[in-house]
Amino acid sequence: MPQLPKIIKTNSSVSQTMTVDVMDEYGDMMTKEIACEHPLTVYLNWIEVVTLMTLGERPSALVLGYLKNQGFIDDIEAIESVIIDWDTNSAAVITKENTDGLEKKLGKKTVTSGCGQGTMFGNVMKKLEGVTLPQPTLTQSTLYGLLESLTHHNETYKAAGAVHGCAVCKDTSILSFVEDVGRHNAVDTLAGEMWLKGETGEDKIFYTTGRLTSEMIIKVAQMGIPVLLSRSGATQMGYDLAKTLGITMIARAKGNRFQVYNGMDNLILDVKGDASGFNLDDKAKGAHRGDRSGGKA
């Protein structure tokens, strides 16, 4: 039996879900639970390695698994302790293993396409301080038209699956669409393309098939795009950042269904019915509500 490291946890803890108010496609308010996203900065012998975005369920195992899989440490018996402190959102791993040259190794670090691993550091958020995005209005009919246009894309996903798609849009037109094995790769591709073309984002809508996490909100804000649309759900930190930065956040958008998490006043509900033109009477509306009762984000 190997000598296991000492796991030290402070008294602080983190929540894994929180409840928020959202608006559906009828303009009705409802409550949804969203997953909480917490930054956890990992230190190895007091050298900062990475900031992981996590639900925070088993942080010590997450940190050790990351360091092992990235090749930073090899011997579990050489690890003296793992200190988890949610007051400072940090995890410190102390090891007797030789970590000489760690800074050089970090300089060659490759950011993977993994969906749950974040690499955003404080300097990025510092650059976003004081950023104010425009607050354009968006009609429900335009949103439905855009969702219809998007159904004709995702070619790689339709053929092989296992990819995410992102798009820069204007009104109901898709200006550029890209697929990649990770949603962050896809959004970075579109950001680079806009940069090369000298395009600005104030009149654009960004679409992603992926979750609306903090990194996604940050990257869209860096592009200057004020409206973010996804067929997936949102995390707590993504939600909080959208409110802070003034991004209209629309999640669970597919067909004629959507949920507005932020920027409700910017959406004009001009459609009395679904995307096919069917007018929803009270009975149909009640049936719809019955279909979604008890659902969670």
Side-chain angles (χ1 to χ4, degrees):
M1 184 73 177
Q3 180 67 39
L4 298 180
K6 185 177 182 181
I7 306 298
I8 302 170
K9 295 183 181 180
T10 63
N11 291 328
S12 55
S13 61
V14 291
S15 301
Q16 294 188 341
T17 64
M18 67 173 287
T19 302
V20 299
D21 294 325
V22 303
M23 184 181 76
D24 71 5
E25 62 271 13
Y26 300 101
D28 294 337
M29 300 301 296
M30 57 183 176
T31 58
K32 302 289 287 185
E33 282 198 30
I34 56 176
C36 292
E37 183 186 6
H38 307 284
L40 186 64
T41 301
V42 179
Y43 296 87
L44 181 56
N45 287 347
W46 307 112
I47 298 173
E48 182 177 333
V49 175
V50 70
T51 298
L52 302 173
M53 306 307 297
T54 176
L55 196 64
E57 183 177 0
R58 294 193 290 273
S60 54
L62 167 65
V63 170
L64 291 175
Y66 173 84
L67 293 173
K68 179 180 185 297
N69 287 339
Q70 295 295 321
F72 290 118
I73 53 177
D74 296 309
D75 186 2
I76 190 72
E77 295 192 67
I79 301 173
E80 296 181 346
S81 61
V82 180
I83 306 168
I84 305 296
D85 182 6
W86 286 116
D87 285 327
T88 57
N89 290 331
S90 64
V93 178
I94 309 301
T95 179
K96 292 179 285 187
E97 255 186 89
N98 185 358
T99 56
D100 292 344
L102 179 59
E103 290 95 338
K104 184 177 180 181
K105 200 172 192 179
L106 289 171
K108 296 181 179 179
K109 182 177 61 179
T110 300
V111 178
T112 71
S113 60
C115 289
Q117 176 180 307
T119 53
M120 289 290 180
F121 289 84
N123 62 330
V124 176
M125 286 304 301
K126 193 75 176 174
K127 291 179 181 178
L128 288 175
E129 286 183 3
V131 168
T132 55
L133 295 172
Q135 298 294 304
T137 56
L138 175 66
T139 64
Q140 185 178 8
S141 55
T142 297
L143 176 58
Y144 284 159
L146 177 56
L147 290 173
E148 171 62 25
S149 297
L150 287 162
T151 62
H152 303 294
H153 289 73
N154 296 308
E155 295 305 318
T156 302
Y157 178 81
K158 291 173 185 176
V163 298
H164 278 293
C166 289
V168 173
C169 314
K170 184 175 181 179
D171 297 324
T172 60
S173 299
I174 299 170
L175 304 181
S176 185
F177 185 95
V178 65
E179 291 178 302
D180 210 315
V181 290
R183 67 187 185 277
H184 297 301
N185 290 354
V187 67
D188 286 345
T189 299
L190 292 173
E193 189 174 81
M194 286 180 63
W195 194 19
L196 285 169
K197 293 180 178 178
E199 295 177 347
T200 56
E202 66 273 1
D203 58 346
K204 307 295 193 305
I205 300 170
F206 195 90
Y207 170 78
T208 176
T209 58
R211 301 182 311 281
L212 300 181
T213 62
S214 59
E215 282 187 289
M216 186 60 67
I217 302 299
I218 289 169
K219 290 184 178 185
V220 169
Q222 289 173 321
M223 297 164 72
I225 298 179
V227 181
L228 181 54
L229 178 65
S230 173
R231 72 180 184 195
S232 297
T235 68
Q236 161 264 329
M237 188 170 286
Y239 169 79
D240 288 343
L241 280 174
K243 292 176 75 69
T244 298
L245 296 170
I247 291 177
T248 297
M249 175 194 277
I250 305 173
R252 304 292 188 187
K254 191 174 182 181
N256 67 318
R257 305 287 177 84
F258 60 84
Q259 296 170 4
V260 185
Y261 281 71
N262 189 56
M264 300 170 191
D265 293 339
N266 297 331
L267 189 70
I268 300 172
L269 300 176
D270 63 340
V271 177
K272 295 182 179 179
D274 65 16
S276 64
F278 175 70
N279 287 323
L280 290 169
D281 58 20
D282 291 340
K283 182 177 180 181
K285 188 173 179 178
H288 164 70
R289 283 175 174 161
D291 289 342
R292 63 177 167 84
S293 61
K296 290 186 178 182

